[in-house]
Amino acid sequence: SGSGFALMEEAVGLSGMTETPVVIYVAQRPGPAVGLPTRTAQEDLNLTLYSGPGEFARIIFAPGNFQDAFKISHMAFNLADKYQIPVFILSDQYLGECFYNIPSFDLSTVELEGYIVKTSKNYRRYQLTPNDISPRGIPGYGDGLVVVDSDEHDEEGHITENLKIRTKMVDKRFNKKMKLIKKETIKPELIGGDKYEILVLGWGSTYGTIKEACEKLGSDRISFLHFNQVYPIHPETRNYLEKAEKTIIFENNASAQFANLIKTETGFEIEQKVLKYDGMPFSVEEVLKTLKSIGGL
């Protein structure tokens, strides 16, 4: 839960500094503290986004249905290993308690990508490389000595306060990795035509509800843009937003956390923010009523 994660947040910074891959699943619920442990919310995006001191790369996913959850979980482990970073998967009670029949998953495309290298005698754990990713060795696999330090370190892994090395290591862990990660960001799913006047946005478990409401409206004027990945945001996001005459986002939190993140990353201010934070998910009827009222449909 978000409450449980908050107790162990220190390990996120350790992952960032030591470049140790980890996948962290956070089941969001209304907070703060214990909050409403039996209810649902989307209140922990900021918690995961800003967890851990300092600056380092991370990825945050928020699957909207079971199929996406399966695909994204597999992707999360591969990306964590590839970039040696923490990767978050956000869900909530609503997604966890949904149930419906789906076909068996196609496992033929599921592949575990291996990134651990066999070390040589002159191995350096935090080597500065042309592709900006240090080769990751583990103790006992090869002839090299694997040195890991939670303090700032040099290429070999030994503690340092050298200012030039510090700058190079921050660039490697944060700036350069984020440039690579952004190239693999999941594109948001556009449901409806691309000649919309009204664009509805959602992330995570609001997928099914908003999709059904938009389908019930049956209007070519409205389309739905859903995000399975909420950080980093796909570079084409602003293009979708600028095409719309009116933008509306639905979130289960009190401060429009994802809308604010979109503004921070793209500079675009979403016009209408529909926020629900009483511990219950949006219903199709609520979304329909809101869209009819705000959108004039």
Side-chain angles (χ1 to χ4, degrees):
S1 68
S3 301
F5 169 69
L7 295 172
M8 305 178 186
E9 189 180 324
E10 184 181 16
V12 181
L14 182 63
S15 168
M17 176 58 86
T18 62
E19 299 185 63
T20 301
V22 60
V23 175
I24 304 168
Y25 168 67
V26 178
Q28 302 172 99
R29 68 190 193 197
V34 179
L36 291 173
T38 58
R39 297 297 180 208
T40 198
Q42 292 181 309
E43 298 181 4
D44 294 336
L45 173 55
N46 286 345
L47 174 66
T48 54
L49 179 61
Y50 300 113
S51 56
E55 298 169 301
F56 51 93
R58 71 189 69 200
I59 296 172
I60 306 175
F61 293 117
N65 57 44
F66 298 157
Q67 298 92 318
D68 289 339
F70 175 79
K71 178 177 65 177
I72 284 172
S73 297
H74 171 240
M75 183 183 301
F77 280 94
N78 283 338
L79 288 173
D81 272 347
K82 182 176 183 178
Y83 294 110
Q84 303 170 27
I85 59 170
V87 177
F88 295 90
I89 302 174
L90 295 177
S91 81
D92 47 48
Q93 183 207 37
Y94 178 66
L95 182 66
E97 291 191 351
C98 285
F99 62 93
Y100 52 89
N101 293 328
I102 56 175
S104 297
F105 293 128
D106 179 11
L107 302 183
S108 63
T109 60
V110 176
E111 181 180 354
L112 178 62
E113 299 174 5
Y115 294 100
I116 294 175
V117 301
K118 190 172 184 178
T119 60
S120 60
K121 289 184 178 180
N122 60 348
Y123 172 73
R124 291 175 293 171
R125 172 63 186 92
Y126 300 107
Q127 181 181 349
L128 298 169
T129 65
N131 72 350
D132 303 315
I133 304 296
S134 301
R136 180 171 171 249
I138 56 175
Y141 185 56
D143 299 321
L145 178 64
V146 181
V147 180
V148 176
D149 201 308
S150 60
D151 290 87
E152 189 56 271
H153 41 256
D154 59 19
E155 291 185 79
E156 291 184 345
H158 299 297
I159 186 172
T160 182
E161 292 194 5
N162 182 290
L163 305 186
K164 291 183 179 179
I165 293 177
R166 159 66 181 178
T167 301
K168 289 180 180 180
M169 288 297 172
V170 172
D171 281 338
K172 177 169 76 76
R173 291 191 298 261
F174 182 49
N175 295 320
K176 293 180 178 180
K177 281 188 181 182
M178 286 305 297
K179 286 182 180 179
L180 296 173
I181 289 168
K182 287 177 179 178
K183 295 178 181 179
E184 298 194 55
T185 302
I186 298 176
K187 191 174 182 179
E189 180 184 357
L190 182 66
I191 300 168
D194 59 2
K195 297 181 179 179
Y196 47 82
E197 299 173 17
I198 302 169
L199 185 63
V200 183
L201 288 84
W203 60 281
S205 67
T206 59
Y207 175 81
T209 301
I210 299 176
K211 180 182 178 183
E212 183 176 342
C214 290
E215 289 174 347
K216 283 183 178 293
L217 285 171
S219 173
D220 295 334
R221 294 177 54 210
I222 189 168
S223 291
F224 171 37
L225 189 66
H226 179 265
F227 291 80
N228 274 320
Q229 181 169 349
V230 290
Y231 187 79
I233 295 173
H234 195 276
E236 292 185 23
T237 298
R238 187 178 177 95
N239 297 336
Y240 287 109
L241 297 169
E242 289 180 336
K243 286 178 61 177
E245 296 178 10
K246 183 174 291 186
T247 51
I248 307 168
I249 191 168
F250 288 83
E251 296 194 55
N252 283 124
N253 58 63
S255 59
Q257 292 183 21
F258 188 51
N260 292 335
L261 178 56
I262 288 175
K263 183 178 180 180
T264 299
E265 294 292 307
T266 70
F268 189 95
E269 176 82 47
I270 295 173
E271 182 180 354
Q272 297 285 342
K273 303 174 182 68
V274 185
L275 309 175
K276 184 175 183 180
Y277 40 92
D278 61 359
M280 297 297 289
F282 286 102
S283 68
V284 174
E285 292 76 16
E286 283 177 311
V287 176
L288 268 171
K289 183 179 179 180
T290 302
L291 293 179
K292 287 177 180 178
S293 173
I294 295 176
L297 297 167

